[in-house]
Amino acid sequence: MSFERRQTRRLNVGDVPVGGGAPITVQSMTTTKTADVDGTLAQVYALAGAGADIVRITCNEVEAAQGLAEIVPRSPVPIIADIHYQYRLALAAMEAGGQGLRLNPGNIRKEDQIKTVAREAKDRGLPIRIGVNAGSLDKDLMGKYGSAVPAALVESAQTEIAYLEDVEFHDIKISVKHSNVRMMVEAYRLLADTVDYPLHLGVTEAGPPPSGLIKSVAGIGTLLNEGIGDTIRFSLTADPVEEAKAGRQLLEFLGLRERKGLDLIACPSCGRAEVDVIEVATRAQEALEQAKLPIQVAVMGCVVNGPGEAREADIGIAAGRGRGHLFIKGRVVRVVPEEEMVEALLDEAQKLVDEGLEARLAHAEANAEEIAATERRQLIEIRGDANRSEERRARVAEVAGGD
């Protein structure tokens, strides 16, 4: 299924159109007891602040459903009720005002109960996500396939879809999550070729960072780049705020959502570096994240190649001998003492956001580029330029023109 086709789908929950189309949305899930209304709401607000468009909340008992009745009207984002085993809790969650349901076909299996929930959801205009999970696959399918292979996950989803469609319910989203990244990717590819419903992506039980982040990015990122996926969740063994932040960042880095947070790029450092790049980049990231600036910032350890390599960044700093070259879109606008690099970068970044590109370029120090060019030449003479493009071009021509 093509990228364009999927991106024109309209999601019913959490839709905030960006650039004229329905965006891919970020979901996370609370870890509090739902009956703890204040504690759960605090986490919902934290998740929304970190980039979650949708928050899923467990509804595993009557007290949880009662908690939802207080949480939903006070939530800044749509609330999805997570239902397992007891179909009547799905009915209770809808009565409480939940804006959607996630049903696990592995443990809600009676056809009449599923259809009862679907009829009620249809009457209320609420979506249902069919949440297939390799860890809780229907035992009959496990017996048929021997393990939670992609075909088994997709068949589980198809069976559930049939139940819902039998009662003319079509407001459906689907997930086929697996803890094995390759199996997860294969399952979603098969599903995308089989159905025409929005898909919710995730690597289930990914584990704690950094491994959980790596697995999630590998699976979700692969599929998003193929045009597969409409909502995502990073299932991390960590504070769920980290899930929301990671999901939002992934979409921004892939160009699938408008940037609202910091994108800091930095060189990995090398023998040409004049400062401790890791230390400077860490300090810069902490300061810029606290300032909540939605820009791309570069921290480079070498003034010889740094500004050129990072010319696409909104703003950056490159280290010279005791000084830093502060540049905007590759143009050096200030030269500052080494000990003031981070502070100068933060100051100029804030002004860039507040005043705009042209205004900040107009305020560039008159001799900044000349000073920077002089220092680059001096460093090249001392250490040699790793590129030496003109010299290499001449040598290539000499070799090519020889006998």
Side-chain angles (χ1 to χ4, degrees):
M1 188 168 290
S2 72
F3 181 81
E4 290 76 14
R5 186 178 181 189
R6 283 200 165 276
Q7 289 303 93
T8 56
R9 282 209 179 112
R10 176 166 178 79
L11 301 183
N12 300 74
V13 177
D15 253 345
V16 185
V18 172
I24 294 169
T25 51
V26 176
Q27 185 174 143
S28 186
M29 186 173 182
T30 56
T31 58
T32 55
K33 299 295 183 184
T34 310
D36 176 9
V37 172
D38 291 337
T40 301
L41 268 172
Q43 196 167 78
V44 169
Y45 270 86
L47 290 169
D53 303 296
I54 306 166
V55 173
R56 181 157 49 107
I57 297 179
T58 188
C59 185
N60 59 341
E61 57 187 4
V62 174
E63 290 78 11
Q66 291 173 323
L68 283 177
E70 296 185 56
I71 292 166
V72 171
R74 296 162 63 185
S75 171
V77 293
I79 298 298
I80 304 299
D82 192 58
I83 309 297
H84 292 266
Y85 298 105
Q86 301 180 55
Y87 84 100
R88 296 199 65 82
L89 286 176
L91 303 177
M94 288 188 281
E95 184 63 29
Q99 288 133 317
L101 302 173
R102 181 267 177 149
L103 304 181
N104 187 334
N107 54 46
I108 300 180
R109 299 178 57 200
K110 293 184 178 180
E111 182 178 345
D112 61 327
Q113 295 178 352
I114 295 167
K115 290 181 175 180
T116 296
V117 172
R119 291 188 186 96
E120 184 66 24
K122 182 180 179 181
D123 289 344
R124 294 175 180 268
L126 301 178
I128 293 175
R129 173 160 68 89
I130 299 171
V132 180
N133 192 306
S136 57
L137 196 63
D138 176 75
K139 63 181 182 181
D140 292 338
L141 288 172
M142 287 292 286
K144 176 180 177 179
Y145 288 95
S147 64
V149 296
L153 301 183
V154 172
E155 184 173 330
S156 176
Q158 288 178 293
T159 299
E160 195 83 354
I161 290 170
Y163 293 156
L164 302 184
E165 290 181 340
D166 276 351
V167 294
E168 299 299 320
F169 186 89
H170 302 283
D171 199 353
I172 300 168
K173 300 172 182 64
I174 311 166
S175 60
V176 283
K177 296 185 180 181
H178 205 298
S179 59
N180 179 291
V181 176
R182 290 181 65 87
M183 297 282 270
M184 171 265 194
V185 170
E186 290 174 13
Y188 277 103
R189 284 173 175 163
L190 177 59
L191 185 64
D193 287 338
T194 305
V195 305
D196 194 28
Y197 287 111
L199 306 183
H200 169 79
L201 307 183
V203 177
T204 192
E205 301 155 2
S211 60
L213 285 169
I214 294 170
K215 285 188 279 187
S216 296
V217 169
I220 297 171
T222 295
L223 292 164
L224 290 177
N225 274 322
E226 295 177 7
I228 297 173
D230 302 87
T231 75
I232 66 171
R233 183 200 173 186
F234 278 56
S235 297
L236 303 178
T237 308
D239 185 334
V241 168
E242 296 303 311
E243 295 185 356
K245 182 188 294 185
R248 181 75 196 204
Q249 287 178 325
L250 177 61
L251 295 182
E252 290 181 10
F253 294 157
L254 291 176
L256 297 174
R257 291 292 293 266
E258 178 184 0
R259 183 183 297 139
K260 291 188 176 181
L262 172 69
D263 179 10
L264 189 139
I265 62 176
C267 67
S269 191
C270 68
R272 297 193 306 274
E274 296 291 331
V275 297
D276 183 341
V277 179
I278 297 174
E279 190 269 339
V280 174
T282 300
R283 286 174 52 212
Q285 181 159 329
E286 291 174 353
L288 291 161
E289 282 187 342
Q290 188 172 359
K292 300 184 183 301
L293 301 179
I295 57 176
Q296 186 178 67
V297 179
V299 176
M300 311 300 286
C302 171
V303 296
V304 174
N305 299 312
E309 291 176 350
R311 65 170 55 90
E312 296 303 318
D314 297 312
I315 188 171
I317 193 94
R321 290 186 298 163
R323 295 200 285 188
H325 297 181
L326 186 65
F327 55 90
I328 294 176
K329 290 295 183 181
R331 175 181 167 186
V332 178
V333 296
R334 290 169 63 184
V335 177
V336 300
E338 180 180 315
E339 61 272 15
E340 298 176 13
M341 287 197 305
V342 173
E343 291 73 16
L345 180 62
L346 178 62
D347 174 66
E348 191 63 41
Q350 186 66 66
K351 289 177 179 176
L352 179 62
V353 171
D354 293 342
E355 301 174 21
L357 175 64
E358 296 303 322
R360 292 319 303 161
L361 289 176
H363 281 83
E365 294 178 355
N367 60 345
E369 287 196 292
E370 181 179 345
I371 293 172
T374 299
E375 291 192 355
R376 283 197 296 270
R377 286 195 298 270
Q378 290 172 348
L379 280 170
I380 289 172
E381 291 173 2
I382 295 170
R383 299 192 174 192
D385 184 2
N387 294 323
R388 286 194 181 281
S389 58
E390 292 302 319
E391 179 182 317
R392 292 188 181 198
R393 287 172 65 91
R395 179 59 181 158
V396 168
E398 179 183 340
V399 172
D403 294 333

